[in-house]
Amino acid sequence: MTYPPQQGPGPYGQPVPNGQQPQGYSPQPGYGYPQQQAQPPYGAAPQQYPHPQQFAAPPAPPARRGGMGIMKILKIIAGVVVVIMVAVGYFASRDDADKAKVGDCLTNKGNTVTPDLQVVKCGGANAEFKVVQVIPDTLDTNQCQGKSDIGYQEQMRGSRRSSGKQFVLCIDEIKKS
């Protein structure tokens, strides 16, 4: 069933009195019916219309560049810091008093209350003491009386695998002229 096109501007196609537009309605041809597009004559080629836009999947996130991630960089930095700390600890403890032998020279990098004796080259400007005797497994500095000027004792703190190390160094003060 087909309907004839509307003739007037009124809401149902009827004419409006005095040529005025009815309130709330805009003039629309063929109100209520879809507009027909012009058809090509019989036998002519049909008109080509562009294809409607088809929606595809959203674009993939941009690929990561070949650079390193933040976490990887932080792990590398942490590894380097640990290696440096181990190296500094090794070299700092290498010259401690617990490595001293008879004939070695020492310097005090601490003070008289909390001494920090380090092994140094004898004859150097900072050599203050010379080791006369090393007595292991004791903290009795009285064993140095009559043998040296000073008795220095040290006890290393033990860990779970070692019981700690204790020793006494009998040392003479180097006289500088």
Side-chain angles (χ1 to χ4, degrees):
M1 170 187 257
T2 60
Y3 297 99
Q6 291 182 343
Q7 300 298 320
Y12 298 105
Q14 71 269 26
V16 178
N18 300 334
Q20 293 179 346
Q21 186 70 313
Q23 198 174 27
Y25 295 100
S26 62
Q28 295 179 358
Y31 178 77
Y33 299 101
Q35 291 185 351
Q36 298 286 327
Q37 294 189 359
Q39 301 247 340
Y42 182 76
Q47 186 178 3
Q48 296 293 324
Y49 296 103
H51 295 287
Q53 182 180 5
Q54 295 183 5
F55 295 101
R64 289 182 55 179
R65 290 180 279 164
M68 294 183 187
I70 296 288
M71 291 305 292
K72 192 171 187 180
I73 291 172
L74 290 176
K75 286 179 184 178
I76 290 171
I77 290 172
V80 169
V81 168
V82 168
V83 168
I84 290 172
M85 289 174 56
V86 167
V88 167
Y90 171 75
F91 287 111
S93 69
R94 191 171 65 164
D95 294 333
D96 283 346
D98 64 324
K99 307 282 192 243
K101 298 178 234 133
V102 174
D104 285 348
C105 292
L106 304 170
T107 188
N108 184 8
K109 293 194 175 187
N111 55 40
T112 55
V113 176
T114 55
D116 181 18
L117 296 180
Q118 303 286 314
V119 177
V120 294
K121 286 186 176 184
C122 292
N126 56 352
E128 301 175 60
F129 307 101
K130 187 166 190 166
V131 178
V132 177
Q133 185 178 7
V134 178
I135 306 170
D137 302 324
T138 186
L139 295 175
D140 184 14
T141 56
N142 292 329
Q143 293 184 22
C144 292
Q145 285 183 341
K147 300 177 188 173
S148 66
D149 299 336
I150 304 168
Y152 169 77
Q153 59 140 358
E154 188 169 316
Q155 181 173 7
M156 309 296 287
R157 301 220 186 256
S159 65
R160 286 189 286 167
R161 294 188 180 156
S162 67
S163 61
K165 180 179 180 182
Q166 58 185 14
F167 60 93
V168 171
L169 294 178
C170 300
I171 52 178
D172 280 338
E173 194 169 348
I174 296 176
K175 314 278 191 269
K176 296 193 181 189
S177 23

